[in-house]
Amino acid sequence: MPKFFCERKEGENLYIEGEDAKHISRVLRMGPGETITVSCPDGFDYEGVLQSCGENLATAKITRSYPNQSEPSVKIILYQALPKGDKFDLITQKAVELGVTKIVPVLTKRCVSRPDEKAMKKKIARWQKIAKEAAKQSGRGIIPEVGSLVDMKQAINLMTEEELAILFYEGGGRRLNELVPSDAQKIAILIGSEGGFEEEEVNDAKKQGIFVATLGKLILRCETAPLAALAILMNLTENI
């Protein structure tokens, strides 16, 4: 059954807007009387019967609701240093499939990619679209947000607000099973770009109470490391 996301629910009515509405009417050619599944930010999935279909708005009447079963118990925010090329596209897609809650691009000292404000705005819009498509494909109950670009200092400050904050360092660190309890609720993780982190950046993170962890003896590519970290964290929190 086709699945969509909506931001607006009023009483027994669901309102699907934008690209999803266009997809329903123009691509799938669905019409009144057909059934769709819609996820809302309230954590519930809704089955509904289409009442109207337009390019910008589709409405459906709710026939059934149930808690979304696919969202992990832990909320993980991925702070990812900007890599070169289109690697962030892959990271976004796969991180969403693995259950990430939010992705925040970070500019570190060793980042080669340094887009200007206009280019960054376009990139974030593209990554958000990728996140939405990945959320649909994997049955997520939410569309993970792709946040605005932050620098290393801002990333560290934001990470310290979470229950557990971890920086992954190619220079070594603690094993994840020593840091992460199975009942962890909110985790922030920071992954470097192709060049990794400078020692000064790692020390600054440590001073702010961020744990430094390792993903093993092998040197992983910057697009592999966040996916490995997420998979391990989901396993340690019993979501896989």
Side-chain angles (χ1 to χ4, degrees):
M1 185 181 298
K3 182 176 184 179
F4 304 93
F5 291 91
C6 80
E7 296 294 334
R8 187 157 61 102
K9 178 176 72 72
E10 297 176 2
E12 296 182 348
N13 296 314
L14 300 166
Y15 298 88
I16 302 99
E17 303 173 336
E19 288 296 321
D20 275 358
K22 185 176 181 179
H23 190 75
I24 290 170
S25 62
R26 292 287 296 275
V27 179
L28 298 177
R29 297 186 180 278
M30 299 179 74
E34 295 191 72
T35 301
I36 60 172
T37 299
V38 178
S39 287
C40 291
D42 60 6
F44 281 79
D45 284 349
Y46 297 88
E47 287 184 12
V49 176
L50 284 168
Q51 304 297 299
S52 64
C53 300
E55 285 197 13
N56 298 311
L57 176 66
T59 63
K61 186 174 182 179
I62 298 170
T63 57
R64 181 180 172 221
S65 66
Y66 45 91
N68 181 276
Q69 299 297 312
S70 61
E71 283 302 303
S73 62
V74 62
K75 296 184 184 300
I76 301 178
I77 301 177
L78 167 62
Y79 289 84
Q80 174 65 52
L82 283 180
K84 294 184 292 185
D86 59 0
K87 294 175 183 177
F88 209 100
D89 293 13
L90 175 67
I91 292 170
T92 299
Q93 182 188 62
K94 301 308 177 186
V96 170
E97 291 179 20
L98 285 166
V100 77
T101 301
K102 183 177 181 179
I103 304 171
V104 181
V106 182
L107 194 62
T108 65
K109 291 183 178 180
R110 292 186 180 177
C111 285
V112 175
S113 176
R114 293 181 177 273
D116 59 28
E117 185 177 347
K118 183 177 180 180
M120 195 66 214
K121 188 175 181 179
K122 290 182 178 179
K123 288 177 179 291
I124 290 174
R126 184 175 77 248
W127 296 332
Q128 190 63 69
K129 186 174 182 180
I130 290 172
K132 183 175 182 179
E133 292 305 313
K136 284 184 184 179
Q137 184 275 327
S138 55
R140 295 290 301 271
I142 63 167
I143 303 171
E145 175 191 356
V146 179
S148 300
L149 179 67
V150 298
D151 61 29
M152 186 68 176
K153 183 177 180 180
Q154 291 171 316
I156 290 173
N157 288 337
L158 289 168
M159 290 176 68
T160 56
E161 296 176 5
E162 304 303 330
E163 173 189 342
L164 178 62
I166 303 170
L167 179 150
F168 289 91
Y169 185 41
E170 67 277 9
R174 296 175 65 180
R175 293 168 57 89
L176 280 177
N177 58 5
E178 300 173 359
L179 295 173
V180 183
S182 61
D183 60 351
Q185 298 294 307
K186 292 183 179 180
I187 304 174
I189 62 174
L190 177 57
I191 306 285
S193 60
E194 290 87 353
F197 295 106
E198 292 195 354
E199 188 173 348
E200 181 184 358
E201 292 175 316
V202 177
N203 289 334
D204 287 343
K206 286 181 179 179
K207 290 176 184 176
Q208 296 299 318
I210 293 176
F211 293 103
V212 175
T214 177
L215 286 170
K217 296 180 180 180
L218 297 175
I219 301 298
L220 303 180
R221 289 179 179 270
C222 64
E223 66 269 35
T224 306
L227 309 184
L230 285 168
I232 295 169
L233 289 170
M234 288 299 171
N235 180 263
L236 290 174
T237 55
E238 300 179 0
N239 285 287
I240 292 179

